[in-house]
């Protein structure tokens, strides 16, 4: 690695081991947990439970980005997430917000968010400027071919890994040119976003080549259809497959791993770290 820390709002995160980002979906239609945490109280309680399980960070989302998902208005997305951010801003962990709307980014940062996790990689008009105006907030730039409603219709690549690399390289350069420090940027290759099963696994197999981008990698493959394709499991039964994917990603340089099943992933990564890095920590 050519980096050891990641600036994320109020936090300077050490990247000596892969960090675990716990998912908090404040949506009625998430592919993995439906409306389980749709209310403010339920989402807040779930977030604190993830912290107890060992989450290093939290990722709050108010709009599903699953394939075929319907769009949500700015007003509705804000109604869902802002009270949750306010409830969690003093939880002692970085708060990420999964959004691509500049107005939502601005309000989320004002409410106490530390990281903007953007599936459009700050391509929406005004998004670059919002993040650049907040000198310490982190940002995750993700690769996606197409847009969530239709991205899985017929994704086409010459070479998926090469094209993802070039896209992330360009978006990273655009962010830096806009005044966003390199130390605030992490990159997500976008597993499941406009990619076939074969393309996803090629990208995972070749993920190590993305280290040439010189930014931490945030990886999200928890419970996704690429796991179902080889296990045949329903979303709630994809824990073991998701952990296997997380460990494969860790072996190929993942710095942050975004997951639903925090406790199980934390345990798996402790064993991985003891084996691969010689880091042994007691329970």
């Amino acid at each position: 690695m050519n980096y050891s820390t990641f600036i994320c709002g109020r936090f300077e995160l050490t990247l000596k081991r892969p960090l675990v980002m716990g998912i908090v979906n404040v949506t009625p239609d998430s592919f993995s947990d439906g409306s389980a945490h749709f209310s403010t109280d339920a989402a807040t309680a779930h977030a604190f439970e993830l912290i107890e399980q060992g989450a290093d960070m939290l990722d709050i989302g108010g709009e599903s980005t699953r394939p075929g998902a319907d769009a949500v208005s700015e007003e509705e997305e804000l109604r869902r997430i802002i009270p949750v951010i306010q409830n969690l801003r003093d939880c002692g962990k970085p708060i990420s917000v999964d959004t691509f709307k500049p107005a939502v980014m601005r309000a989320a940062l004002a409410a106490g968010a530390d990281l903007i996790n953007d599936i459009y990689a700050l391509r929406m008009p005004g998004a670059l400027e919002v993040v650049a105006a907040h000198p310490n907030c982190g940002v995750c730039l993700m690769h996606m071919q197409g847009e969530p409603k239709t991205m899985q219709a017929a994704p086409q690549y010459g070479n998926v890994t090469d094209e993802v690399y070039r896209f992330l390289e360009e978006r990273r350069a655009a962010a830096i040119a806009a005044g966003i420090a390199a130390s605030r940027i992490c990159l997500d290759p976008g597993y499941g976003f406009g990619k076939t099963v074969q393309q996803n696994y090629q990208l995972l197999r070749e993920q190590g080549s993305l280290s040439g981008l010189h930014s931490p990698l945030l990886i999200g493959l928890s419970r996704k259809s690429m796991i179902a394709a080889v296990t045949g499991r329903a979303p709630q039964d994809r824990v073991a497959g998701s952990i296997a994917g997380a460990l494969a990603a860790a072996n190929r340089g993942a710095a942050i791993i975004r997951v639903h099943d925090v406790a199980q992933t934390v345990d798996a990564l402790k064993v991985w770290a003891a084996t691969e890095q010689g880091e042994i920590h007691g329970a």
Side-chain angles (χ1 to χ4, degrees):
M1 292 184 182
N2 296 306
Y3 45 82
S4 58
T5 58
F6 174 48
I7 304 300
C8 187
R10 300 162 292 167
F11 300 84
E12 184 173 335
L13 303 176
T14 300
L15 303 176
K16 293 181 180 179
R17 61 168 177 84
L19 303 181
V20 174
M21 172 184 274
I23 298 170
V24 182
N25 288 318
V26 197
T27 59
D29 57 348
S30 168
F31 82 92
S32 63
D33 49 16
S35 59
H37 315 121
F38 187 35
S39 73
T40 297
D41 288 346
T44 301
H46 181 59
F48 279 109
E49 181 181 1
L50 296 182
I51 292 172
E52 285 293 315
Q53 293 175 3
D56 299 295
M57 312 170 69
L58 298 170
D59 189 43
I60 301 168
E63 178 174 4
S64 175
T65 53
R66 62 180 172 79
D70 291 324
V72 172
S73 69
E74 287 180 1
E75 293 76 13
E76 176 62 16
E77 189 175 351
L78 289 168
R79 186 191 69 79
R80 295 175 182 181
I81 68 169
I82 295 300
V84 179
I85 296 170
Q86 292 171 336
N87 287 348
L88 296 173
R89 61 187 166 193
D90 296 322
C91 71
K93 302 293 181 182
I95 299 170
S96 167
V97 173
D98 186 353
T99 187
F100 57 85
K101 300 183 181 77
V104 177
M105 294 177 187
R106 186 179 297 109
L109 291 167
D114 300 288
L115 171 68
I116 298 299
N117 184 10
D118 183 4
I119 64 171
Y120 280 92
L122 301 183
R123 285 179 289 158
M124 290 295 178
L128 269 171
E129 290 76 11
V130 169
V131 175
H134 288 75
N136 292 318
C137 79
V139 64
C140 180
L141 308 174
M142 195 193 78
H143 174 274
M144 174 175 60
Q145 187 179 96
E147 49 91 25
K149 188 74 174 177
T150 58
M151 63 187 177
Q152 290 304 105
Q156 300 286 330
Y157 297 89
N159 182 294
V160 65
T161 307
D162 290 347
E163 292 184 37
V164 168
Y165 188 106
R166 290 196 297 271
F167 174 87
L168 293 176
E169 183 177 45
E170 185 276 326
R171 294 313 301 159
R172 180 180 185 274
I176 291 172
I180 300 170
S183 59
R184 297 165 51 196
I185 300 170
C186 65
L187 305 173
D188 183 348
Y191 293 110
F193 283 80
K195 299 168 185 73
T196 65
V197 171
Q198 291 80 7
Q199 290 160 355
N200 280 315
Y201 280 104
Q202 178 188 339
L203 187 57
L204 180 56
R205 192 163 56 249
E206 299 172 356
Q207 181 187 291
S209 68
L210 302 181
S211 64
L213 293 165
H214 306 301
S215 285
L217 295 181
L218 189 156
I219 301 303
L221 44 72
S222 178
R223 299 190 187 181
K224 288 185 175 178
S225 58
M226 66 182 286
I227 306 298
V230 296
T231 64
R233 303 286 187 182
Q236 292 78 4
D237 297 324
R238 297 175 192 167
V239 181
S242 297
I243 289 172
L247 296 179
N251 272 329
R252 292 161 175 81
I256 303 169
I257 300 177
R258 181 180 181 272
V259 303
H260 301 86
D261 305 291
V262 167
Q264 298 92 327
T265 307
V266 166
D267 283 355
L269 286 170
K270 285 179 178 178
V271 175
W272 175 87
T275 304
E276 299 296 327
Q277 300 178 333
E279 294 186 6
I280 300 176
H281 305 283

